[in-house]
Amino acid sequence: MPFIPHTENDTRTMLDTIGADAIEDLFDEIPAGLRARSLNEIPAGRNEMAVSRLVQTRAAQDTQALSFLGAGAYEHHIPAAVWELTTRGEFYTAYTPYQAEASQGTLQLLYEFQTMMAELTAMDVSNASLYDGASALAEAVLMAVRANRKSKSKRILMPATVHPTYRSVVNTIVRHQGIQLELVDYDTQGGHIDPANLPAEPGDIAALVIPQPNFFGTLEDVDTLTDWAQSHGALVIGVVNPTAMALIAPPGEWGNGAGADIVCGEGQPLGAPLSSGGPYFGFMCCAQKHVRQMPGRIIGRTTDLEGKTGYVLTLQAREQHIRRSKATSNICTNQGLLTTAATIYLSLMGPEGLRQTAEHSHANTQKLAKKLCMIDGVEKIFDRPCFHETVLRLPKPANEVLSALDTQDVLGGFDLFQAYPELGNAILICATETKTDDDLEQYATALRNVLA
Amino acid sequence: MHDTHTPLIFEHSRPGRVNNTHTQRNTASVNTIPDTLLRKTPPRLPEVSEMDAVRHYTRLSQKNFSIDTHFYPLGSCTMKHNPRACNTLAMLPGFLGRHPLSPEQHGQGYLSCMWDLQEILKDVTGMTAVSLTPMAGAQGEFAGVAMIRAYHDANNDTTRSEILVPDAAHGTNPATATMCGYATKEIPTDANGDVDVDALKAVVGPQTAGIMLTNPSTLGVFDRRIKEIAEIVHDAGGLLYYDGANLNAILGKVKPGDMGFDVIHMNLHKTFSTPHGGGGPGAGPVGVSERLKPFMPIPVVGKNDDGYYWLTEKDLPQTIGRLSTFMGNAGVLLRAYIYALLLGREGMTRVADYATLNANYLMAKLNQAGFDMALPERRATHEFILTLKRQAKEQGVTAMDFAKRLLDYGFHAPTTYFPLIVPECLLIEPTESESKETLDAFVEAMVAIQKEAESDAETLKGAPYTMPMRRLDDVKAARELDLRYKTDNNQ
Ligand SMILES: Cc1ncc(COP(=O)(O)O)c(C=O)c1O
């Protein structure tokens, strides 16, 4: 039987041991009136050959055009060794390392992961993952409200330059706890939050969220924003792209003081395939003083009975299985396998490889923007520096242009009209290190044709 | 297992050991970014060769127990075999390469799989509609309770402030109630392991928003009075949340929709055999009854004459909203779908049959070997509870000692100390994929450990002995926090 080893003989002997006549007897505590009708909507079982045929046909339907889409998920080269190692059964089929002595592989790897994330963000500590970037920001907001003991307001300043879906997810997740999310408008020239436009007397705020780079790809004036927030008693929550951390100033170094308080983001660029949106992983780092307010699993180094170094789940008194209704979060299962991939990815890239990836992604996007802006009616909207995305204005409605590009096998970017109608015919483009000069040229040619 | 120390990857690092196989070779210009925004010192990531990394992580993997290497009867976690076809097929390039924001016409293959999975899960649960977007059980719980809240709000029923949760419930239940702005009220369990219906009657009222119930419960038994419980809560105007983390023993046997539930989450990383990945990822889809359908989290897959598409805010204006940047753990859902195809309808019922047979057999054998069951008069479902209260009293050994010693015998330990209401407990879930021989060997190990408890309790308390580590000091870990390597040490 598929995935069931029992022989008829086994079943008979086992029932005898139990003292039951038939397997059916084992369900006799279920009230008769509740017994299910049959599973009519589910097809009959198929063998691996038939299922492979069916699923391969489906996968082949999903054609791959040349893509310049980013907007929260980024195409990067993933070294072959990453998933070769990650899908080893010992990583793939283990669970949360509750039995530390029999899970030192996962635990040591997670300790290395925490170290790498803390290094990337220049923060003191990291947890062992949350679900994804958007939900990690929601957790960061909840954490900031708990951690900022001086603030009574539960007010969070949320810039309009934060990914629109992140803002929407945060709203879904935190709205039941009396938290107010106040939108901070952006500067239409720079595509960033202009610190000069922040109120001089903001009142009691629990935290300011600072995206770096922001959703437009633009780099925020993080130092001034950080100093402004902290001088008004607010914590700083950084939302960062981990690849960018190899190139631009990390949140631990923002401002004149101790840097950001909490940092989170989407881990997908570190070794996770695009895969229709998941599984990815959320990461979260913070200053040491806030560690007891962190959600999620945390791994610590300790010693065994003989004094040898080993690793365990620690600070579990924050978590749902101990603290129940008073836990820092309800999260239990996280995105462990994706952090495994990220740890191996970062080991293979090293500081130099990650910096090169960041630099080439940045340079390709600059090159692409320049090429496209040579076409009549196409222009860059914002004048601030960018990481690996930027916003272009088109002479025709963005959705029409993007559909036309699609017929030429180019996914030309993300239509900003729904989230930012005030920008008019605007698209967000991204060209990572995976794009060659020919790819950029292909896009330019297609756009020229479409706009001709 | 061998007990050699494995240095951290950082200790293999040597400055200047550049591995540039994975990057473009030419240099790129970053002169448009002003210095003030640039990073001054590079992050101290390891500088190792590809072989260093491959060896290191291969070696680390070998320090894990996993389903692929060991019997892993971790209760409430359903550590069954993860068929390899599910992984191979979910990693086909067409699926892996698809950007989540690429147009729907480029994702018809993927979307059709998700549509089919929604239909399968509707049938399994007996619910009206399914949203696949929650990324694990706890997020499914959040979605469910948020829908309950949205329902009451839509009815201007704003005085409901409490969620009822049995005292045996998983910790995510009360934690979720808090995240949704509700107070938790605990309901005691009666001597037979069912929810104490009299106690329920006493606390239910106009302040009750709903109840979160697990059935089969975390005590490993089917709550026989489920219909009555449903009626009591519904009569008070509350809604019923079904924690369907563990459906393995009821697949094709009972449908939560038929028990009167309004919303359920499922853990596909358990019942539908997607890998647990050393802690995740999971997938926690929610199924809803007709009255909660307008509130489902988005996106949901829809279908019309042109094909498959995403339902969004426009289609479900009363939705509780989005829970992830895109659509949740897409690749996990694919694996679950492929597993469901391999099983088919008869295969699902068979899973329930043999998961239940294995649990009842293991319970009977352990009972015959002299161990005490928490609920000896009851049938086991997919799991059951053994209590070592007597051993704790007579030999001074604990459930933890048994758990650690089991590792030496080559078995991952069952879940320990959960549910919290049974002293010195082991929650044991063998799953359908284990053979009789494996179960018999587990019983022999338990009997051997019991003998050790009687003859040499001190040795038992020192376990494990054959792992890469002896027993680790949790107290020290929490007291002298060391959460990252200080990379300065070697640079
Ligand atoms: C009964 C029960 N409910 C809820 C959960 C939470 O699910 P998850 O860990 O996927 O968030 C679990 C498992 O961990 C469980 O066993």
Side-chain angles (χ1 to χ4, degrees):
Chain A
M1 293 175 283
F3 320 124
I4 296 172
H6 301 59
T7 65
E8 253 172 65
N9 203 22
D10 289 337
T11 305
R12 194 64 268 148
T13 322
M14 293 169 82
L15 284 169
D16 288 346
T17 305
I18 299 167
D21 290 333
I23 291 182
E24 196 45 43
D25 296 353
L26 305 177
F27 295 90
D28 57 10
E29 289 190 5
I30 300 177
L34 284 179
R35 288 302 301 271
R37 297 152 285 133
S38 53
L39 297 170
N40 289 326
E41 302 304 315
I42 299 176
R46 275 168 267 194
N47 64 22
E48 195 174 295
M49 273 179 290
V51 171
S52 300
R53 176 74 76 93
L54 178 123
V55 175
Q56 278 159 355
T57 311
R58 300 264 178 107
Q61 274 177 271
D62 294 356
T63 44
Q64 306 296 304
L66 182 65
S67 168
F68 296 89
L69 276 164
Y74 303 98
E75 184 185 353
H76 288 293
H77 173 70
I78 303 172
V82 171
W83 284 91
E84 285 267 336
L85 291 167
T86 301
T87 52
R88 278 182 69 96
E90 301 93 327
F91 288 134
Y92 188 76
T93 71
Y95 201 16
T96 309
Y98 297 116
Q99 293 298 333
E101 298 83 0
S103 312
Q104 285 298 299
T106 290
L107 285 161
Q108 181 173 331
L109 181 141
L110 288 171
Y111 181 85
E112 293 177 358
F113 168 80
Q114 290 176 180
T115 305
M116 291 180 193
M117 295 316 293
E119 278 294 330
L120 272 181
T121 56
M123 300 296 289
D124 297 330
V125 291
S126 164
N127 76 3
S129 80
L130 297 167
Y131 302 130
D132 78 344
S135 58
L137 180 57
E139 290 282 10
V141 164
L142 294 171
M143 175 176 165
V145 168
R146 289 191 299 272
N148 193 341
R149 298 232 164 69
K150 290 197 204 95
S151 167
K152 299 276 166 295
S153 73
K154 296 193 175 186
R155 279 173 66 213
I156 304 287
L157 297 189
M158 180 71 82
T161 54
V162 172
H163 194 306
T165 314
Y166 280 35
R167 284 186 270 133
S168 141
V169 170
V170 172
N171 183 44
T172 306
I173 294 177
V174 311
R175 57 194 288 210
H176 307 296
Q177 301 191 48
I179 292 169
Q180 273 171 274
L181 302 170
E182 292 180 21
L183 199 67
V184 182
D185 222 344
Y186 64 96
D187 176 71
T188 51
Q189 193 158 0
H192 72 309
I193 299 304
D194 184 354
N197 287 341
L198 291 170
E201 297 294 334
D204 179 355
I205 354 170
L208 167 69
V209 175
I210 306 179
Q212 184 74 329
N214 69 25
F215 183 62
F216 300 134
T218 306
L219 296 175
E220 298 277 0
D221 184 357
V222 288
D223 292 330
T224 317
L225 292 173
T226 299
D227 290 341
W228 178 87
Q230 290 175 343
S231 72
H232 291 103
L235 300 188
V236 166
I237 302 172
V239 196
V240 301
N241 177 312
T243 312
M245 293 298 98
L247 184 60
I248 60 175
E253 294 168 8
W254 292 353
N256 289 322
D261 295 278
I262 304 169
V263 177
C264 64
E266 174 57 72
Q268 177 274 331
L270 306 179
L274 290 169
S275 184
S276 285
Y280 298 167
F281 70 94
F283 61 86
M284 183 183 275
C285 300
C286 71
Q288 184 77 37
K289 63 181 175 208
H290 300 310
V291 68
R292 287 188 159 74
Q293 296 303 336
M294 225 175 350
R297 313 280 186 204
I298 298 176
I299 313 309
R301 176 144 75 166
T302 185
T303 48
D304 74 358
L305 277 178
E306 294 170 357
K308 285 192 295 187
T309 296
Y311 306 88
V312 295
L313 290 165
T314 194
L315 295 180
Q316 295 193 68
R318 300 162 298 114
E319 293 190 68
Q320 45 76 29
H321 59 289
I322 312 273
R323 194 58 64 81
R324 299 174 76 82
S325 65
K326 296 194 176 56
T328 52
S329 166
N330 68 346
I331 193 169
C332 175
T333 295
N334 58 18
Q335 303 286 120
L337 198 67
L338 284 302
T339 60
T340 306
T343 308
I344 299 169
Y345 174 85
L346 288 171
S347 304
L348 291 168
M349 300 306 283
E352 181 62 17
L354 197 68
R355 190 179 55 79
Q356 290 222 10
T357 298
E359 287 182 356
H360 278 97
S361 300
H362 167 79
N364 269 344
T365 301
Q366 297 296 317
K367 247 194 250 177
L368 177 64
K370 211 168 182 182
K371 254 186 210 301
L372 300 183
C373 288
M374 277 157 37
I375 302 169
D376 252 3
V378 180
E379 59 181 7
K380 265 183 87 168
I381 296 191
F382 303 124
D383 61 10
R384 297 256 317 168
C386 299
F387 173 50
H388 68 1
E389 286 177 280
T390 193
V391 177
L392 298 184
R393 181 169 289 131
L394 302 174
K396 288 186 186 166
N399 59 347
E400 290 171 21
V401 177
L402 291 173
S403 307
L405 283 170
D406 189 5
T407 63
Q408 308 207 17
D409 287 329
V410 172
L411 298 180
F414 181 72
D415 182 357
L416 290 170
F417 189 71
Q418 229 174 19
Y420 302 94
E422 69 281 3
L423 293 176
N425 305 329
I427 59 170
L428 181 66
I429 59 163
C430 175
T432 63
E433 88 286 5
T434 58
K435 296 292 172 289
T436 61
D437 286 347
D438 286 349
D439 295 336
L440 306 185
E441 196 50 48
Q442 190 180 330
Y443 186 178
T445 308
L447 186 62
R448 220 172 276 121
N449 293 341
V450 164
L451 294 178
Chain B
M1 294 255 154
H2 44 98
D3 69 355
T4 50
H5 167 71
T6 311
L8 291 160
I9 188 76
F10 306 100
E11 297 172 76
H12 294 289
S13 185
R14 293 294 174 272
R17 185 168 284 160
V18 177
N19 164 27
N20 63 355
T21 328
H22 306 298
T23 54
Q24 304 287 2
R25 295 292 159 79
N26 55 335
T27 54
S29 151
V30 291
N31 57 13
T32 62
I33 304 179
D35 274 359
T36 51
L37 290 172
L38 288 176
R39 185 168 189 137
K40 309 233 160 29
T41 47
R44 288 161 297 184
L45 297 172
E47 296 176 77
V48 298
S49 70
E50 178 159 321
M51 192 177 73
D52 287 338
V54 169
R55 253 184 213 161
H56 175 73
Y57 291 107
T58 300
R59 200 153 282 155
L60 283 189
S61 77
Q62 291 167 335
K63 292 186 158 191
N64 268 0
F65 274 29
S66 64
I67 303 173
D68 281 8
T69 54
H70 295 82
F71 180 42
Y72 209 128
L74 193 65
S76 207
C77 298
T78 316
M79 304 300 282
K80 58 163 100 176
H81 174 58
N82 300 153
R84 280 303 182 276
C86 303
N87 185 52
T88 306
L89 295 171
M91 295 194 63
L92 288 171
F95 292 137
L96 283 195
R98 189 177 165 272
H99 191 287
L101 298 172
S102 71
E104 282 153 357
Q105 66 267 27
H106 289 285
Q108 289 297 301
Y110 168 71
L111 282 164
S112 65
C113 294
M114 294 301 100
W115 169 268
D116 289 353
L117 180 60
Q118 285 176 186
E119 294 299 303
I120 289 170
L121 296 179
K122 267 158 66 176
D123 198 16
V124 164
T125 58
M127 305 305 280
T128 306
V130 164
S131 166
L132 301 172
T133 186
M135 291 177 282
Q139 215 190 28
E141 290 175 37
F142 176 86
V145 178
M147 281 190 266
I148 290 176
R149 180 159 208 128
Y151 171 83
H152 292 311
D153 287 350
N155 292 329
N156 285 323
D157 189 352
T158 51
T159 54
R160 299 188 182 270
S161 56
E162 272 176 17
I163 289 281
L164 307 175
V165 176
D167 56 5
H170 196 264
T172 49
N173 292 188
T176 298
T178 302
M179 286 184 82
C180 291
Y182 286 120
T184 301
K185 187 129 210 147
E186 279 203 350
I187 314 290
T189 302
D190 70 18
N192 300 315
D194 293 327
V195 166
D196 183 334
V197 172
D198 291 330
L200 172 66
K201 282 183 185 151
V203 296
V204 76
Q207 76 289 358
T208 306
I211 187 168
M212 296 180 85
L213 213 67
T214 312
N215 201 22
S217 71
T218 57
L219 291 157
V221 295
F222 190 90
D223 203 313
R224 296 161 291 193
R225 297 174 76 180
I226 190 78
K227 269 288 211 197
E228 199 182 340
I229 295 168
E231 271 160 24
I232 294 168
V233 176
H234 271 158
D235 285 348
L239 297 192
L240 283 105
Y241 184 92
Y242 193 102
D243 179 332
N246 302 295
L247 295 181
N248 224 31
I250 62 165
L251 277 179
K253 301 287 178 187
V254 241
K255 299 187 182 186
D258 297 343
M259 296 184 227
F261 280 81
D262 298 289
V263 52
I264 175 179
H265 91 263
M266 295 149 259
N267 276 4
L268 301 186
H269 43 304
K270 299 178 181 175
T271 314
F272 286 79
S273 199
T274 69
H276 287 76
V286 282
V288 294
S289 62
E290 197 60 43
R291 63 172 142 190
L292 289 184
K293 200 172 157 189
F295 307 107
M296 280 199 292
I298 50 171
V300 176
V301 184
K303 184 181 176 185
N304 62 22
D305 291 345
D306 297 331
Y308 302 93
Y309 65 102
W310 291 116
L311 298 170
T312 66
E313 294 86 345
K314 286 196 219 76
D315 311 281
L316 289 162
Q318 287 181 285
T319 174
I320 58 157
R322 288 180 186 267
L323 299 166
S324 66
T325 317
F326 302 107
M327 71 79 57
N329 281 335
V332 179
L333 296 164
L334 269 176
R335 285 168 175 78
Y337 170 61
I338 295 159
Y339 179 70
L341 289 182
L342 288 165
L343 286 185
R345 74 174 85 89
E346 71 284 7
M348 291 200 192
T349 317
R350 200 159 51 214
V351 162
D353 283 338
Y354 287 87
T356 306
L357 176 67
N358 273 0
N360 279 283
Y361 173 71
L362 192 53
M363 178 166 90
K365 286 277 279 192
L366 286 164
N367 203 1
Q368 287 159 17
F371 287 97
D372 300 333
M373 300 304 135
L375 297 165
E377 306 302 320
R378 301 291 306 266
R379 293 279 193 211
T381 54
H382 56 285
E383 62 190 354
F384 61 94
I385 299 179
L386 184 156
T387 171
L388 296 162
K389 193 168 94 178
R390 181 167 47 84
Q391 286 84 343
K393 195 152 158 249
E394 290 174 5
Q395 284 108 30
V397 297
T398 64
M400 187 59 75
D401 298 328
F402 267 75
K404 297 301 181 197
R405 191 64 177 139
L406 275 168
L407 305 177
D408 285 330
Y409 281 85
F411 298 104
H412 193 283
T415 296
T416 52
Y417 300 101
F418 174 78
L420 307 176
I421 59 173
V422 183
E424 299 300 334
C425 70
L426 298 179
L427 180 60
I428 306 176
E429 180 176 15
T431 84
E432 72 281 6
S433 34
E434 299 297 338
S435 66
K436 177 174 173 296
E437 300 90 271
T438 302
L439 305 184
D440 291 343
F442 180 79
V443 174
E444 279 170 30
M446 285 292 287
V447 169
I449 297 170
Q450 176 61 33
K451 290 216 177 88
E452 291 173 0
E454 288 159 18
S455 63
D456 184 7
E458 281 318 302
T459 301
L460 181 53
K461 286 167 174 310
Y465 296 94
T466 61
M467 295 295 103
M469 298 266 96
R470 295 293 303 284
R471 206 176 293 195
L472 285 151
D473 189 344
D474 290 323
V475 176
K476 177 178 172 187
R479 204 171 276 157
E480 302 166 23
L481 280 185
D482 174 353
L483 309 180
R484 62 178 287 196
Y485 182 65
K486 300 293 187 297
T487 358
D488 335 74
N489 300 356
N490 75 328
Q491 304 221 342

